[in-house]
Amino acid sequence: MDDINFFDKVYQVARLIPPGRVTSYGAIASYLGTKGSSRMVGYAMQAAGKVVPKVPAHRVVNRQGLLTAKFHFGGDLMQQLLESEGVKVKDDQVQDFKNLFWDPAIELAL
């Protein structure tokens, strides 16, 4: 992955998040070896709407399972996308976050 830029690396990881699962900005940053750059992962997710192939940015939330980027989707679209995949959201919080959390450091090490 050394020959591509950081945003593209983020997008590659985000595309691997299975439907019905979520991860965090920090988990992606840590997996990429750039722990502490979760804000940059957030910037990448903010820019993901124009990327082809599509990036499931709605599956990336903060470390507590909050939909902190929902305003970038407009209205309740982020919640609707998650709920269409079976993820329950209440008050902008992913319910059962611990069980739905997809950690790329674990899942991609298999």
Side-chain angles (χ1 to χ4, degrees):
M1 275 204 235
D2 290 336
D3 58 337
I4 58 175
N5 74 40
F6 182 76
F7 278 25
D8 288 333
K9 291 177 185 179
V10 169
Y11 299 150
Q12 285 181 351
V13 174
R15 286 185 186 108
L16 298 174
I17 306 166
R21 303 286 300 275
V22 293
T23 195
S24 68
Y25 306 104
I28 292 175
S30 182
Y31 175 75
L32 293 175
T34 57
K35 189 173 181 171
S37 64
S38 57
R39 187 167 296 200
M40 286 301 294
V41 173
Y43 293 145
M45 292 296 98
Q46 184 178 350
K50 299 175 183 162
V51 176
V52 176
K54 287 186 157 202
V55 176
H58 64 284
R59 296 180 190 146
V60 184
V61 298
N62 84 355
R63 64 189 170 127
Q64 297 164 332
L66 291 170
L67 311 188
T68 52
K70 75 177 223 163
F71 63 92
H72 291 293
F73 286 82
D76 290 325
L77 181 58
M78 185 176 189
Q79 180 173 336
Q80 291 170 3
L81 290 168
L82 286 169
E83 289 177 340
S84 74
E85 296 178 355
V87 176
K88 289 182 174 52
V89 178
K90 182 178 179 187
D91 298 325
D92 298 331
Q93 170 78 46
V94 172
Q95 303 299 291
D96 202 21
F97 178 64
K98 186 176 181 180
N99 288 323
L100 295 177
F101 185 74
W102 181 84
D103 187 343
I106 295 170
E107 303 290 343
L108 299 179
L110 301 177

